[in-house]
Amino acid sequence: MMKMMSNSKIRNFSLFMWLCVFITVTVTVTEAEKKKDELYFKPFNVTYDHRALIIDGHRRFLISAGIHYPRATPEMWPDLIAKSKEGGADVIETYVFWNGHEPLRGQYNFEGRYDLVKFAKLVGSSGLYFFLRIGPYACAEWNFGGFPVWLRDIPGIEFRTDNAPFKEEMKRFVSKVVNLMREEKLFSWQGGPIILLQIENEYGNIESSYGNGGKQYVKWAARMALSLGAGVPWVMCRQQDAPPDIIDTCNAYYCDGFKPNSNHKPIIWTENWDGWYAQWGERLPHRPVEDLAFAVARFFQRGGSFVNYYMFFGGTNFGRTAGGPLQITSYDYDAPIDEYGQLSEPKWGHLKDLHVALKLCEPALVAADSPKYIKLGPKQEAHVYYASVHPEGFNLSLSEYPSTCSAFLANIDEQKAANVTFRGQIYTIPPWSVSILPDCRNTVFNTAKIGAQTSVKLVEFDLLLASKVLPAQQLTHHNGISQISKSWVTTKEPTSIWSKNSFTALGIWEHLNVTKDQSDYLWYSTRIFVSDDDFLFWKENGVTPKLTIDGVRDILRVFVNDELIGNVVGQWVKVIQPVQFLPGYNELILLSQTVGLQNYGAFLEKDGGGIRGSIKLTGFKNRDIDLSKSSWTYQVGLQGEFLQFYSEESDKAEWVELTPDAVPSIFTWYKTYFDAPGGTDPVALDMESMGKGQAWVNGHHIGRYWTRVSPKNGCEVCDYRGAYGSEKCLTNCGKPTQTLYHVPRSWLRESNNLLVILEETGGNPFRISTKLHSARVVCAQVSESHYPPLQNMANADFIAQQVSVNSMTPEMHLRCQDGQLISSITFASFGTPGGSCQNFSRGNCHAPSSMSIVSKECQGKRSCSIKVSNTVFGGDPCQGVVKTLFVEARCTSSSSDGFFQNSEAVSSF
């Protein structure tokens, strides 16, 4: 065609094409620039006084939700942020994880789960502020506390003290993060969401270990941070000697008594521990929401201005990111949003109500320089916030009124309720609770009275993993349910030196100095000669030779001539292991395993792993053998790791069919394919049939697994009253600490998903199954004496006492999770019912219309509300008695064909 054109036409056509290209490039660049220059807020400055952060010239009291971006997938982030905002958060908080962002020195990673910029922009686009805790030490039960392991190898380095090599590296990374945020225009003065930064982290806990070097380091860290020109305030948590321009803050279960080191700084609670972490072989912590709400209400009652929930969403320690010692893969943290991204009720709902009540108080809280204290009884007190002039910056018609008053009434008695008189009225306050009165008259919330629903999360069977490796077979289980069997293939991992990259050296080398944390595993191999005289000596004297080691961590496995003879688990525990040798040369192999590097404490760079101290063989005829000076061959990692058996592209393994009657074996790889469960419910792998190892799905490392069982004792009945600690209200006694492992939906295809398992101790992969994690049952109980719905009060009319009687009637609210509808009401009674969720029962007083009224109002809807009054239920079923409405409902996927409605829940979560 071009050959047929005239020269002029060719020139015109070429010009036209260049013009198209120019326009396309210009439009593309313009759109990219526009996106980069997008303002999430009108630019504003952030300062502070003794009372609060000052946002754009106005004091604010703020609720912050902790979410660690790498503990979720980017696909989960928008929903997590939205649920946090709906729950009352003004701010999203996160640590920055240095080892994730700089895995190799000078090589940065800000992609995928580590795309910090994307996460920050999602926060801003949601209308929320961002609190960025750069550190760069995080702790966070994260591997090595967030430090990259290569940092240990810098000559002369000492972490977190007045040490030039460390300070140089720390400044370089902190500058990298601050400059990146500035380039992306993410600071508040640029129209971005970042209002607060943190340098260091809980250093005050260990500062004394470093002497004067620690004191100098704190001053340097502050100067360095301020020199970066971020333009927003910096904090140091748990740092009583924080310099004047840095806000020192509180981390604890309770911070209502905390005071910063200057009366010019606001009271900030950077970590409100709403749960606790778990370790392999331990019980699961649970913090009652009544106590959590009490702690938050007391904090604001006594002058607090900013609280961050640690965690609001805990998430998952994917890969080998879990810290040590022995942190589990789940980082659920008993948070208001669970590991799978679903609401944990009633924790999320009760806190949401608390936050609404607190927001009603915000005009008075920020206007008053300090509260007025009133003693109401021996363990009862009130704090009153009163402002004669309504503060600016609030879009409420309260400014029409000449005064603003809010009060908190607290009963810190752990056992008894109390009747107190406040401003001429009598108030009943349950034990260990706070009542909130936004207008100093009407109680709208009490921390011990839960009106939010309870959601019962059930883990339901999907089909057992259906393999495409080999033809599927039908198996009928003892319960008569026919399910598709799994066909697995397997290959053995060598339990000896396997690589040409192994090396030999004298003495015992420290674990991390060899592995650089490229693997959990380090093999030590040496040869032991046993003479005939030694054998005769043992036989005649009944002596057994022993391997003794001064200290090992986290796991040590002992092999003699390729046979596993002993396992040791612990933190720098002494080893005395009987061994059996053959005459002549024997191969002694030690396998050292880390299960998360130490994440907390002083001198982390010296902590290390593997073997510490002397190692010797005792019991020989003429002498003990000092193996500390012997020649050892070292091998890092497993063959399957370095050949990437878990990769979809890998063809290096010699897989063979696994038969159902195969004897479980140690250090074995298993592989199968499976179809993703239908629907949108979160997916988990049930690994209860396995021992210990690691798992990958479609090449994604979902984490370590271990069926280590927790102690049988220690799970007493939980009472929210009284001070909480991590040993109170424990759950899951006598069961494996973790059996279910989150597989994000975004990592799954509809079919042919590759699952690869590395099993260390022996297990049965045929019993691995996928399960769906979902809240299928919701319950609630609200009495006619309960507080009116807070959403009806969250306006100026409430303060002006211009609320209709109908709006003040208590309401019950029920809601299924996204994608579900209320399919049936399984219990409803207005009267005097009793029991607990999934075990409700009618009382002597019962309104016959209860079931029909609730079913009509709720069935077929995602959410519903019912007023709790005699009028709604056709009259008073029993006069002179306070009635309560109890309801239990069943939620079903809106796209379901009825399968889940009739499916049997196999275990509660």
Side-chain angles (χ1 to χ4, degrees):
M1 180 177 178
M2 289 289 291
K3 290 181 180 179
M4 298 174 63
M5 289 184 180
S6 66
N7 290 336
S8 61
K9 288 182 178 180
I10 291 174
R11 286 195 298 270
N12 291 338
F13 181 78
S14 300
L15 182 63
F16 172 74
M17 293 299 294
W18 276 109
L19 183 60
C20 289
V21 170
F22 174 76
I23 292 173
T24 302
V25 171
T26 302
V27 170
T28 303
V29 170
T30 302
E31 289 179 350
E33 290 178 348
K34 182 179 179 181
K35 188 173 183 181
K36 185 174 181 180
D37 293 341
E38 181 180 358
L39 298 181
Y40 302 103
F41 302 92
K42 180 181 177 182
F44 62 92
N45 291 322
V46 182
T47 58
Y48 59 87
D49 62 12
H50 75 285
R51 186 66 188 97
L53 290 179
I54 299 175
I55 307 283
D56 197 21
H58 306 296
R59 285 178 179 169
R60 290 295 309 278
F61 105 81
L62 298 168
I63 306 293
S64 174
I67 300 175
H68 294 159
Y69 51 100
R71 284 175 159 143
T73 61
E75 292 78 7
M76 296 172 66
W77 292 344
D79 185 60
L80 297 174
I81 294 168
K83 287 175 177 174
S84 300
K85 182 176 182 178
E86 184 185 357
D90 309 290
V91 184
I92 299 295
E93 171 272 343
T94 187
Y95 279 125
V96 175
F97 298 92
W98 188 356
N99 52 11
H101 290 298
E102 194 176 5
L104 297 174
R105 192 180 185 196
Q107 296 184 21
Y108 296 101
N109 172 30
F110 285 91
E111 299 178 352
R113 290 188 295 112
Y114 292 96
D115 193 341
L116 177 59
V117 169
K118 180 177 181 178
F119 185 70
K121 289 182 175 180
L122 285 171
V123 171
S125 64
S126 299
L128 299 179
Y129 301 132
F130 197 32
F131 175 19
L132 194 60
R133 301 172 71 189
I134 301 176
Y137 166 70
C139 184
E141 291 70 60
W142 186 268
N143 196 48
F144 211 39
F147 285 134
V149 172
W150 55 256
L151 201 63
R152 303 170 79 245
D153 298 330
I154 294 176
I157 199 164
E158 292 181 60
F159 291 5
R160 305 177 74 192
T161 189
D162 191 21
N163 172 266
F166 177 76
K167 292 191 296 184
E168 179 180 347
E169 293 299 321
M170 175 174 167
K171 181 178 181 179
R172 182 177 58 81
F173 179 73
V174 174
S175 301
K176 173 77 176 179
V177 175
V178 170
N179 291 337
L180 178 62
M181 298 299 104
R182 184 188 294 110
E183 289 167 6
E184 296 290 340
K185 298 186 177 180
L186 291 171
F187 287 109
S188 64
W189 50 273
Q190 299 173 298
I194 299 175
I195 61 169
L196 200 61
L197 297 170
Q198 179 175 299
I199 192 70
E200 251 299 340
N201 184 57
E202 294 187 341
Y203 187 69
N205 296 358
I206 62 167
E207 181 180 338
S208 61
S209 301
Y210 296 95
N212 186 60
K215 295 181 182 300
Q216 297 304 315
Y217 169 68
V218 170
K219 297 176 182 177
W220 169 84
R223 290 196 305 271
M224 182 270 289
L226 293 169
S227 72
L228 299 177
V232 298
W234 289 83
V235 306
M236 284 182 170
C237 59
R238 286 197 166 186
Q239 195 64 51
Q240 292 184 348
D241 61 349
D245 292 333
I246 304 290
I247 306 170
D248 56 308
T249 66
C250 183
N251 291 0
Y253 288 117
Y254 305 93
C255 284
D256 54 285
F258 172 77
K259 299 296 181 186
N261 62 11
S262 167
N263 57 13
H264 300 295
K265 300 176 182 180
I267 301 173
I268 293 178
W269 192 356
T270 35
E271 289 187 16
N272 173 14
W273 302 328
D274 52 21
W276 201 241
Y277 58 84
Q279 296 175 301
W280 299 113
E282 295 298 330
R283 296 148 294 202
L284 299 179
H286 165 65
R287 187 177 186 188
V289 70
E290 299 96 324
D291 174 71
L292 179 58
F294 170 76
V296 174
R298 287 286 286 167
F299 175 71
F300 286 108
Q301 174 179 359
R302 300 182 67 187
S305 64
F306 182 114
V307 61
N308 173 61
Y309 289 96
Y310 190 100
M311 301 293 301
F312 207 75
F313 162 81
T316 307
N317 294 313
F318 296 115
R320 297 188 305 111
T321 58
L326 308 178
Q327 305 292 341
I328 70 173
T329 296
S330 170
Y331 201 66
D332 187 84
Y333 221 86
D334 195 36
I337 304 175
D338 72 14
E339 176 184 5
Y340 298 86
Q342 297 186 331
L343 303 182
S344 291
E345 298 279 25
K347 184 167 279 190
W348 182 88
H350 192 52
L351 293 178
K352 178 183 179 181
D353 289 345
L354 167 66
H355 300 153
V356 173
L358 290 171
K359 288 296 183 182
L360 289 171
C361 302
E362 184 173 11
L365 287 174
V366 299
D369 279 340
S370 61
K372 178 181 179 181
Y373 173 81
I374 302 173
K375 190 171 180 60
L376 302 175
K379 294 185 178 181
Q380 295 77 38
E381 59 189 20
H383 288 73
V384 183
Y385 290 85
Y386 182 85
S388 58
V389 179
H390 181 70
E392 297 180 357
F394 293 92
N395 296 320
L396 301 172
S397 57
L398 274 171
S399 56
E400 301 172 7
Y401 307 114
S403 64
T404 301
C405 179
S406 295
F408 297 79
L409 312 184
N411 178 15
I412 58 176
D413 192 305
E414 297 180 16
Q415 300 300 324
K416 299 177 182 178
N419 292 321
V420 301
T421 301
F422 174 71
R423 289 194 163 195
Q425 293 189 35
I426 297 177
Y427 298 84
T428 300
I429 314 175
W432 199 253
S433 76
V434 177
S435 290
I436 299 177
L437 289 63
D439 60 350
C440 285
R441 183 179 297 105
N442 294 288
T443 302
V444 303
F445 182 87
N446 178 271
T447 58
K449 297 181 70 172
I450 298 176
Q453 72 179 30
T454 294
S455 296
V456 181
K457 291 171 185 170
L458 304 177
V459 179
E460 299 182 318
F461 273 124
D462 185 58
L463 293 179
L464 291 174
L465 297 177
S467 172
K468 301 297 189 293
V469 176
L470 296 170
Q473 301 173 358
Q474 291 289 331
L475 287 182
T476 301
H477 293 264
H478 62 84
N479 57 10
I481 299 175
S482 179
Q483 296 177 312
I484 300 175
S485 74
K486 304 170 296 298
S487 297
W488 290 80
V489 292
T490 183
T491 189
K492 283 289 294 180
E493 172 68 36
T495 53
S496 58
I497 304 301
W498 53 268
S499 171
K500 294 180 181 179
N501 294 326
S502 61
F503 66 92
T504 301
L506 292 176
I508 294 291
W509 287 27
E510 191 271 323
H511 183 111
L512 285 183
N513 284 341
V514 182
T515 68
K516 309 303 182 186
D517 198 36
Q518 296 303 302
S519 171
D520 283 354
Y521 311 95
L522 176 61
W523 303 86
Y524 303 75
S525 176
T526 192
R527 301 181 75 195
I528 306 297
F529 181 77
V530 177
S531 67
D532 291 339
D533 288 345
D534 288 322
F535 248 88
L536 182 61
F537 173 73
W538 295 336
K539 183 176 180 180
E540 291 179 348
N541 295 278
V543 174
T544 300
K546 293 180 176 64
L547 173 71
T548 65
I549 306 175
D550 285 349
V552 300
R553 65 169 303 181
D554 301 322
I555 297 177
L556 182 75
R557 305 194 193 278
V558 182
F559 298 82
V560 174
N561 299 324
D562 206 30
E563 180 181 352
L564 178 65
I565 65 169
N567 298 288
V568 178
V569 179
Q571 301 305 302
W572 299 124
V573 296
K574 186 176 180 64
V575 176
I576 302 177
Q577 173 64 52
V579 291
Q580 291 184 337
F581 293 117
L582 299 174
Y585 283 100
N586 294 259
E587 186 178 32
L588 172 65
I589 292 182
L590 307 179
L591 174 59
S592 166
Q593 295 179 228
T594 53
V595 187
L597 302 185
Q598 185 76 23
N599 57 260
Y600 178 77
F603 311 111
L604 281 181
E605 73 279 7
K606 300 177 182 178
D607 189 72
I611 297 170
R612 177 180 288 176
S614 68
I615 172 172
K616 57 186 177 180
L617 287 169
T618 63
F620 282 71
K621 180 178 179 180
N622 296 321
R623 62 184 176 88
D624 294 341
I625 300 176
D626 186 359
L627 298 177
S628 305
K629 302 176 182 178
S630 296
S631 177
W632 291 85
T633 299
Y634 291 84
Q635 171 67 61
V636 176
L638 305 180
Q639 183 182 60
E641 283 183 296
F642 285 86
L643 295 180
Q644 298 185 346
F645 287 177
Y646 50 82
S647 170
E648 297 185 78
E649 291 76 29
S650 175
D651 58 358
K652 304 291 180 62
E654 296 181 1
W655 299 100
V656 297
E657 181 183 355
L658 178 70
T659 60
D661 58 353
V663 176
S665 59
I666 64 171
F667 285 92
T668 304
W669 292 85
Y670 300 104
K671 181 171 80 168
T672 194
Y673 288 84
F674 68 99
D675 295 342
T680 59
D681 290 334
V683 178
L685 279 181
D686 187 339
M687 304 292 290
E688 191 169 8
S689 65
M690 304 304 286
K692 181 189 180 298
Q694 301 180 46
W696 293 260
V697 172
N698 294 331
H700 296 281
H701 194 175
I702 67 171
R704 302 181 183 97
Y705 67 86
W706 197 356
T707 49
R708 201 175 187 203
V709 176
S710 67
K712 293 182 178 180
N713 61 328
C715 294
E716 290 88 14
V717 175
C718 179
D719 187 340
Y720 80 87
R721 298 173 295 180
Y724 179 77
S726 59
E727 296 301 312
K728 183 180 179 182
C729 295
L730 296 172
T731 64
N732 203 55
C733 286
K735 299 177 183 178
T737 307
Q738 184 176 357
T739 59
L740 299 172
Y741 296 83
H742 182 205
V743 183
R745 280 279 181 179
S746 60
W747 290 358
L748 293 172
R749 299 184 287 262
E750 185 176 342
S751 60
N752 293 320
N753 294 283
L754 172 65
L755 171 62
V756 177
I757 303 290
L758 165 66
E759 173 56 48
E760 300 173 12
T761 63
N764 183 1
F766 286 99
R767 292 174 54 198
I768 296 173
S769 63
T770 55
K771 288 186 175 177
L772 297 173
H773 176 89
S774 181
R776 300 292 181 188
V777 176
V778 295
C779 301
Q781 52 192 77
V782 177
S783 76
E784 57 183 348
S785 64
H786 203 81
Y787 307 121
L790 279 164
Q791 60 266 33
N792 293 344
M793 302 183 188
N795 53 61
D797 291 337
F798 168 72
I799 305 296
Q801 295 299 296
Q802 296 176 3
V803 182
S804 68
V805 174
N806 191 49
S807 297
M808 298 296 284
T809 303
E811 289 182 6
M812 172 180 287
H813 294 267
L814 296 173
R815 182 172 77 167
C816 296
Q817 66 185 39
D818 293 341
Q820 293 184 353
L821 300 176
I822 299 172
S823 57
S824 62
I825 304 298
T826 53
F827 182 91
S829 178
F830 176 69
T832 58
S836 57
C837 187
Q838 295 188 293
N839 193 31
F840 288 151
S841 61
R842 290 185 185 178
N844 295 327
C845 173
H846 168 73
S849 62
S850 299
M851 181 65 79
S852 60
I853 293 293
V854 175
S855 297
K856 181 180 179 181
E857 188 63 37
C858 297
Q859 201 158 325
K861 301 177 181 178
R862 189 200 167 199
S863 63
C864 63
S865 61
I866 305 140
K867 292 190 179 297
V868 182
S869 71
N870 293 324
T871 303
V872 170
F873 291 94
D876 193 339
C878 44
Q879 295 183 0
V881 176
V882 175
K883 271 74 67 180
T884 303
L885 175 62
F886 280 40
V887 175
E888 179 180 313
R890 178 78 176 175
C891 296
T892 302
S893 297
S894 55
S895 59
S896 171
D897 60 2
F899 170 78
F900 289 114
Q901 184 170 349
N902 299 314
S903 65
E904 181 180 355
V906 295
S907 62
S908 61
F909 197 76

